[in-house]
Amino acid sequence: MLPLKEKDKPIIQKLLSAGCCARCVLRFCCVSVQAAYRKQPEETLKELQIFINDTENDKYAAESETSEDPPNKRAKLETSITDVQSEEEAAAVVKSKDGDSRVCVVCLGILQGLCGTTQAIKVCAVKAGNYEFDTLVLSVSLPAQLCVREHSCWLYVKKEGLVLDKDDVIQVKEAFKWIMQGMVTKELGGIAVVTKVSPFEVSVEFTHPETDADCHFLAATCPDCFKPTKNKQSVFTRMAVVKALEKIPDAKFLKHYPCPPTQPTSSCSPQVQCLHVSVFVAGRYNKFCRSLPQTPWVIDGERRMESSVEELIAAPILSAFRADGFNFSSSGREDVDVRTLGNGRPFAMELLNPHKSRFSKEQMKQLQETINQSSDKIKVRDLQIVTREAMSRMKEGEEEKTKSYTALVWTQKPIQREDISFIDDIKDLTLDQKTPLRVLHRRALAVRQRAIHSMSTRFLDSHHFYLRLKTQAGTYIKEFVHGDFGRTIPNLCQLLKTDTDILELDVEVGESHICKTNIQKSKHIPPTSDSLPHRGRSGAEQDQCPQGCRP
Amino acid sequence: MESVEHEDTKANAPSVIDRYYTRWYRADMKGKPCEDHCILQHSNRICVITLAETHPILQNGRTIKSINYQISNGCSRLENKVSGKSKRGGQFLTDFAPLCRITCTDETEYTIYSCIRGRLLEVNENILETPNLLLEKPSTEGYIAVILPKFEESKSITENLLNRDKFENIVSKRSSAQSQPS
């Protein structure tokens, strides 16, 4: 039995004749009993019809506010109903018998056929089937014109002098969720469909192109509500439409929009999408290859160098987590031709929409092993799942770090051991480095002061020696060695009084700490470098842009 | 043996310029005989303007009296200031825009030109203090200026320039035509 009151009768009658479905009628009657919406629509319709036709039976009348309605008023109401049983309404009652096969003028079918078991099954079996989750949250997106139609029906009822507070009307979204949540839970064999927060979200988007134009008149009547958007997206957002409906005076609305709304010929089209919240994985990597870029090197759609650090690390992780994509971030980076030795460089990855998210420590170890077996160019250690906040801390303090490098230096003039021993005694040498020419196309022109804390040399032969350096983060080592047209001062050429060049460079990221990064980059898109192809060794060195900018 | 080693390592170790830059040339700039310029184009499209080894300034033991970046009453290349990643504010140069004027101790005067279209990023102030850099290391520390061509023009600017082979051709034709370029 539906919790309806006597005063609801005219509302029900008007709305049924206007073409509203049974559940929408319940909404306008402010029925907040969830179970009422879960009944079969045909059943609900029958009950509504019984209710409105039941003028003689006191069953319902007894439950109405008898105290409020004085007897003669009630009698008047009852007689007026029977009197005003016009052709139209009689026809409407007849129509509504098979009327629910016609699309509801307000919910456009959303509360009719589109929230049945078929829908629930579609959601569960097809979409949610290949995800791993304990709970799910259902989100619904409705076309903006629903608000307009709702407003129109509300005015239709209001016109008759029937008092109906718009805020008391049950929202379509709420009713839909009341109906669907239970069904989905049943289909999933008991997985809790929570109402607030869950890592797994199933979103149902309804569109109805047939009636999209319903909102358009609002642009003319309330132009300041609709701001032009830069993208091709429609300016008629739900928020903007709601705002406009709040402002527009009733008379104006009625002038521009039919009341009640017109009968649509089709139902909404639903689209179901599932999204699992991102999972974060972190670790440290070593790089043993001198021809491997950090990120994919693609120019004009053509790949210039095979693979990359991030692809080699990401591939096994992506497949294990069955994620759609990733964002890779590391605490600094090194050049294509520079090896990363020592404890390895901290990195972190955001895995987008992982279909599998639960991994034990053992499984993570196994995954690490898989990565290490997959390539001899890189090695990963300390692979672990971390929180989003943990990632923020990885890039912190990058500027304060000290870096250790080993460079193989070539000298033009022949040298002997004694010639380079003085270098070992140099402490805290301050360099003035103009932005190296090799990165000047993408960085601002500036002079950077950087410190070389200490150096040590290992003589190799009359034209070669190994130079170990401990420097401040952000020091351009290559430019210190060859001078960069004299734009890094002092430089090794000046110190040794000969032309020098750098043949090889290794970086050692010293201290061990768990990586915590701040991902500031947007979605992973292969960079389309604006530089012409590099020949031989690349130029970029360990760029330490404090903002973590990408090249 | 030392010199052999020396040669070996020179061959094995291409210089910074060999590794990252392409050498382009403009010969007889503005019709002035032998006033050759060498443009070092980095693979990232930035160009460094230098004197070619055949330029008169580098011949006959000349020494430099002064270098002047003030090319007109209203314009000094020293005042060039760029800001930001997009290098806003840099003076835009065309092929024949003068970069500086160099006066040698024997009173000969030479104007060095941009040779390419692009935004001036910096001029070499080190040669103001140490003009010898220009004589001793014209291709590296003695560079004149750094110019950033427009992205769309980064490949087309070389259309008017000679590659190394063509330049060497022209130079060899000169020495056969004349007895000795001054």
Side-chain angles (χ1 to χ4, degrees):
Chain A
M1 208 153 63
L2 296 169
L4 297 170
K5 301 180 197 69
E6 197 53 41
K7 67 177 179 68
D8 295 329
K9 277 195 192 165
I11 298 175
I12 298 171
Q13 212 145 25
K14 281 229 84 69
L15 291 177
L16 281 178
S17 68
C20 284
C21 70
R23 285 167 173 165
C24 282
V25 172
L26 287 184
R27 293 191 302 110
F28 275 90
C29 294
C30 310
V31 171
S32 55
V33 175
Q34 295 189 19
Y37 295 87
R38 296 196 187 117
K39 289 204 196 136
Q40 288 297 316
E42 304 83 52
E43 218 189 290
T44 313
L45 179 62
K46 261 204 200 105
E47 286 197 37
L48 286 172
Q49 286 170 330
I50 293 172
F51 179 70
I52 52 175
N53 288 328
D54 215 354
T55 50
E56 305 303 329
N57 201 326
D58 276 350
K59 192 166 45 158
Y60 285 91
E63 281 154 41
S64 69
E65 304 96 75
T66 43
S67 50
E68 284 177 29
D69 281 328
N72 50 350
K73 187 170 182 195
R74 192 168 11 117
K76 250 200 219 153
L77 208 59
E78 285 168 6
T79 46
S80 71
I81 286 171
T82 32
D83 287 348
V84 180
Q85 192 69 223
S86 66
E87 275 283 308
E88 194 194 269
E89 283 165 32
V93 172
V94 168
K95 251 192 264 174
S96 11
K97 279 216 179 76
D98 47 27
D100 259 24
S101 60
R102 279 149 89 239
V103 181
C104 171
V105 297
V106 177
C107 72
L108 300 173
I110 290 173
L111 294 179
Q112 296 174 282
L114 292 172
C115 53
T117 340
T118 0
Q119 196 69 357
I121 292 173
K122 202 202 277 187
V123 165
C124 308
V126 179
K127 292 284 177 166
N130 58 347
Y131 279 86
E132 182 189 79
F133 56 94
D134 296 322
T135 61
L136 77 82
V137 68
L138 193 65
S139 78
V140 182
S141 163
L142 303 172
Q145 55 268 37
L146 238 66
C147 307
V148 177
R149 289 174 161 263
E150 184 104 334
H151 193 89
S152 169
C153 273
W154 175 67
L155 282 181
Y156 186 57
V157 164
K158 195 171 161 196
K159 256 200 310 187
E160 305 296 317
L162 300 164
V163 176
L164 185 59
D165 191 343
K166 208 179 186 199
D167 293 330
D168 289 340
V169 174
I170 308 296
Q171 294 292 303
V172 174
K173 215 181 250 198
E174 261 200 280
F176 180 84
K177 285 190 184 177
W178 288 342
I179 302 166
M180 279 302 273
Q181 274 161 355
M183 280 195 207
V184 172
T185 304
K186 207 171 89 187
E187 290 299 323
L188 290 175
I191 287 198
V193 180
V194 297
T195 46
K196 289 266 170 79
V197 179
S198 164
F200 184 57
E201 180 194 25
V202 176
S203 54
V204 184
E205 191 192 356
F206 288 104
T207 51
H208 200 247
E210 182 194 323
T211 54
D212 275 344
D214 280 10
C215 309
H216 292 181
F217 74 95
L218 289 170
T221 54
C222 305
D224 53 321
C225 290
F226 300 96
K227 304 237 163 69
T229 53
K230 282 187 202 154
N231 332 340
K232 293 177 226 141
Q233 279 168 15
S234 169
V235 75
F236 295 104
T237 61
R238 223 184 138 70
M239 264 185 68
V241 168
V242 166
K243 209 164 140 204
L245 289 173
E246 278 170 16
K247 289 172 74 172
I248 191 172
D250 292 350
K252 210 168 184 186
F253 182 93
L254 293 171
K255 221 166 60 173
H256 289 92
Y257 195 79
C259 175
T262 56
Q263 175 79 49
T265 53
S266 62
S267 289
C268 280
S269 313
Q271 204 176 30
V272 179
Q273 266 187 346
C274 296
L275 184 69
H276 195 289
V277 82
S278 290
V279 158
F280 297 85
V281 168
R284 287 205 303 278
Y285 74 83
N286 285 105
K287 183 180 167 224
F288 301 118
C289 176
R290 289 197 187 283
S291 55
L292 188 68
Q294 179 96 344
T295 54
W297 198 333
V298 178
I299 295 174
D300 295 330
E302 222 183 284
R303 187 178 278 265
R304 294 301 166 126
M305 221 176 219
E306 222 184 277
S307 197
S308 60
V309 171
E310 71 170 37
E311 282 170 300
L312 288 177
I313 296 177
I317 298 180
L318 263 190
S319 77
F321 282 78
R322 286 190 273 131
D324 291 346
F326 67 94
N327 285 330
F328 184 92
S329 182
S330 61
S331 176
R333 57 175 180 249
E334 59 287 314
D335 281 352
V336 172
D337 56 348
V338 175
R339 296 188 304 178
T340 312
L341 309 175
N343 288 338
R345 185 183 299 282
F347 74 89
M349 282 176 62
E350 177 183 6
L351 299 165
L352 305 168
N353 201 16
H355 286 51
K356 181 165 158 56
S357 52
R358 280 194 302 251
F359 281 81
S360 66
K361 277 213 171 96
E362 241 339 288
Q363 289 172 309
M364 289 305 284
K365 270 213 183 97
Q366 188 58 45
L367 182 55
Q368 181 175 297
E369 203 38 48
T370 308
I371 299 173
N372 291 339
Q373 298 288 340
S374 71
S375 167
D376 54 0
K377 296 181 179 176
I378 52 125
K379 282 278 175 292
V380 164
R381 51 185 284 184
D382 299 337
L383 195 68
Q384 57 197 273
I385 294 181
V386 295
T387 61
R388 186 187 282 273
E389 288 70 38
M391 290 191 81
S392 314
R393 298 210 287 283
M394 191 172 87
K395 286 222 185 282
E396 270 177 21
E398 241 177 31
E399 292 247 278
E400 288 105 58
K401 298 211 182 107
T402 302
K403 304 289 181 174
S404 295
Y405 299 90
T406 306
L408 176 58
V409 178
W410 169 84
T411 60
Q412 181 170 47
K413 78 170 189 207
I415 52 163
Q416 290 171 331
R417 256 176 246 272
E418 304 82 67
D419 298 326
I420 56 173
S421 57
F422 73 96
I423 293 174
D424 295 7
D425 302 326
I426 299 178
K427 298 282 175 251
D428 293 316
L429 178 66
T430 307
L431 308 178
D432 284 323
Q433 301 199 281
K434 277 198 192 158
T435 309
L437 293 178
R438 63 181 168 89
V439 302
L440 188 51
H441 63 296
R442 55 177 167 82
R443 311 249 350 238
L445 180 62
V447 179
R448 291 172 185 80
Q449 282 209 328
R450 290 287 185 265
I452 295 184
H453 301 307
S454 65
M455 291 184 275
S456 73
T457 57
R458 186 157 64 90
F459 180 85
L460 200 55
D461 63 42
S462 57
H463 289 282
H464 300 92
F465 68 96
Y466 281 105
L467 178 66
R468 290 208 61 167
L469 312 97
K470 275 206 174 58
T471 75
Q472 182 184 356
T475 310
Y476 288 97
I477 305 299
K478 293 177 181 174
E479 275 67 22
F480 167 68
V481 173
H482 63 61
D484 191 34
F485 291 75
R487 297 166 74 257
T488 285
I489 292 172
N491 58 63
L492 199 58
C493 307
Q494 291 174 331
L495 294 177
L496 287 177
K497 300 194 179 41
T498 174
D499 280 353
T500 56
D501 202 355
I502 182 167
L503 301 185
E504 281 177 4
L505 183 62
D506 292 336
V507 63
E508 262 181 53
V509 185
E511 81 275 23
S512 68
H513 69 294
I514 305 298
C515 22
K516 299 164 197 281
T517 5
N518 183 12
I519 284 193
Q520 294 162 12
K521 299 169 353 195
S522 55
K523 273 234 185 315
H524 175 75
I525 299 166
T528 49
S529 170
D530 63 351
S531 61
L532 303 169
H534 281 202
R535 294 175 317 277
R537 303 202 190 100
S538 87
E541 196 168 292
Q542 194 175 345
D543 281 341
Q544 295 281 13
C545 171
Q547 283 84 42
C549 296
R550 298 282 312 279
Chain B
M1 191 164 93
E2 226 176 28
S3 58
V4 168
E5 230 179 71
H6 181 78
E7 286 311 305
D8 268 357
T9 50
K10 245 200 161 166
N12 290 341
S15 67
V16 175
I17 295 180
D18 293 328
R19 277 184 285 145
Y20 303 130
Y21 296 86
T22 311
R23 290 182 170 86
W24 297 97
Y25 296 87
R26 259 205 126 124
D28 310 311
M29 196 64 187
K30 270 211 159 175
K32 304 206 187 130
C34 296
E35 287 192 28
D36 307 327
H37 294 50
C38 175
I39 300 99
L40 299 173
Q41 185 192 42
H42 193 283
S43 52
N44 68 14
R45 90 179 191 271
I46 285 189
C47 294
V48 184
I49 312 300
T50 67
L51 298 182
E53 55 265 35
T54 47
H55 198 284
I57 295 178
L58 305 176
Q59 316 302 322
N60 296 350
R62 278 196 174 88
T63 49
I64 295 176
K65 190 163 97 171
S66 67
I67 300 176
N68 194 358
Y69 281 113
Q70 183 92 35
I71 53 149
S72 74
N73 276 341
C75 181
S76 164
R77 298 304 181 200
L78 289 175
E79 280 161 22
N80 191 66
K81 261 195 173 46
V82 292
S83 65
K85 230 198 285 193
S86 36
K87 323 294 185 298
R88 268 166 307 183
Q91 296 163 5
F92 195 82
L93 308 172
T94 53
D95 298 41
F96 295 109
L99 290 172
C100 64
R101 284 187 230 287
I102 300 179
T103 313
C104 298
T105 44
D106 65 357
E107 296 310 315
T108 46
E109 254 189 40
Y110 303 92
T111 305
I112 314 300
Y113 297 94
S114 165
C115 303
I116 55 165
R117 280 167 54 89
R119 207 186 280 271
L120 179 65
L121 298 187
E122 69 179 45
V123 291
N124 190 353
E125 293 185 31
N126 294 336
I127 56 176
L128 288 178
E129 296 163 36
T130 321
N132 260 356
L133 281 175
L134 183 49
L135 301 172
E136 287 166 26
K137 298 244 158 88
S139 299
T140 52
E141 278 122 297
Y143 73 97
I144 307 291
V146 178
I147 298 177
L148 176 69
K150 283 192 192 176
F151 179 63
E152 315 82 69
E153 294 177 10
S154 41
K155 295 201 173 119
S156 61
I157 48 162
T158 56
E159 280 163 16
N160 291 334
L161 305 175
L162 306 161
N163 64 18
R164 184 150 188 110
D165 289 337
K166 292 203 184 105
F167 176 68
E168 283 177 354
N169 242 340
I170 290 182
V171 171
S172 56
K173 285 206 188 98
R174 279 182 199 154
S175 27
S176 53
Q178 303 169 271
S179 46
Q180 181 81 305
S182 79

